[in-house]
Amino acid sequence: MTDLGFEIVGSRPEDYAAEPTLVLRLRITNTSGAPVHALALKCQIRIEPQRRQYDATEKERLYDLFGEAPQWGSSLHPFLWTHVATMVTGFDEVTEVDLHVPCSYDMEVAGAKYLHALIGGEIPLLLLFSGSVFGAGSTPGGPGFTARPVAWSAEATHRLPLAVWRATMDRYFPGVGWIRVSHQVLDDLARFKTDRALPTNDLALERLLKEAGNP
């Protein structure tokens, strides 16, 4: 089995994408001595919330995910953020590639809800790798190739700066966010906005919050 090591060496927002996307720069090290002809790589990215500290405001914002802070000893567990995949061209010892990570702003998704709740610091990530490694081989008729699985233990950790995620979201949703609602709620909001001659949904929601007794 080809011996590969994985390390995240940088991160940045993606400038040109159809959806909010950040880029993790991945360094792959091959210590087997046999050249890699190609690598079909899959990666599961998990958030490990127990690997960082939280202030009082963040704890309040994270109530929906983890409950009251005294419960966090049993509720603060790693959870899936997303899956990504890429094809890596051939290399001998070391190569670097970009992992393009799509970032949802759907507040019904645990990852987006968690990231939105944070104020600063870093996001502790665990990357679990799988896939197939293609190399040189031989057949009874002559040269061929081999296909071997990426080791099940292949992984990497990374502390992604929250500022990188925020910069990514700001490129696509500058100064705003969005929430998913049913068609019925959207229609009701439109009628409420029209009845009160409010020009935007922002103002309609602000009015509703004030009428509900929120500041």
Side-chain angles (χ1 to χ4, degrees):
M1 183 176 294
T2 304
D3 191 1
L4 299 179
F6 299 89
E7 178 186 10
I8 302 298
V9 295
S11 59
R12 59 177 173 81
E14 172 58 67
D15 291 326
Y16 307 104
E19 61 181 331
T21 303
L22 64 82
V23 176
L24 298 177
R25 188 66 175 174
L26 175 65
R27 179 177 294 157
I28 307 172
T29 304
N30 173 22
T31 59
S32 69
V36 172
H37 285 193
L39 170 59
L41 189 64
K42 301 177 182 178
C43 179
Q44 179 188 119
I45 304 179
R46 301 177 68 84
I47 294 176
E48 298 190 305
Q50 76 280 8
R51 290 175 47 214
R52 60 159 284 164
Q53 299 295 317
Y54 303 90
D55 64 21
T57 300
E58 290 172 330
K59 290 178 180 178
E60 180 180 352
R61 292 180 174 182
L62 290 168
Y63 174 82
D64 286 347
L65 284 176
F66 306 123
E68 297 283 356
Q71 302 172 336
W72 283 17
S74 59
S75 64
L76 211 63
H77 297 301
F79 61 90
L80 177 67
W81 185 18
T82 189
H83 290 90
V84 297
T86 190
M87 284 297 301
V88 182
T89 57
F91 66 99
D92 291 330
E93 297 179 354
V94 179
T95 190
E96 292 187 4
V97 297
D98 288 338
L99 290 180
H100 292 84
V101 182
C103 300
S104 171
Y105 219 154
D106 186 348
M107 297 303 292
E108 300 298 321
V109 177
K113 186 180 295 186
Y114 174 82
L115 295 172
H116 183 74
L118 301 182
I119 296 174
E122 298 171 324
I123 307 159
L125 301 180
L126 174 65
L127 295 87
L128 304 173
F129 296 97
S130 62
S132 298
V133 185
F134 301 95
S138 61
T139 67
F145 71 92
T146 60
R148 301 184 176 92
V150 173
W152 64 267
S153 58
E155 63 181 45
T157 59
H158 179 60
R159 301 190 71 86
L160 174 69
L162 181 65
V164 173
W165 177 80
R166 291 208 180 279
T168 299
M169 304 311 294
D170 286 344
R171 287 181 184 232
Y172 295 83
F173 302 109
V176 301
W178 61 272
I179 56 175
R180 182 173 58 184
V181 298
S182 68
H183 290 299
Q184 183 61 56
V185 171
L186 193 61
D187 290 342
D188 291 344
L189 180 62
R191 282 194 295 270
F192 179 87
K193 181 166 67 75
T194 300
D195 290 344
R196 286 160 176 77
L198 299 170
T200 66
N201 286 331
D202 262 4
L203 291 174
L205 290 170
E206 287 178 5
R207 180 71 63 83
L208 282 168
L209 289 172
K210 288 180 180 179
E211 292 183 6
N214 293 314

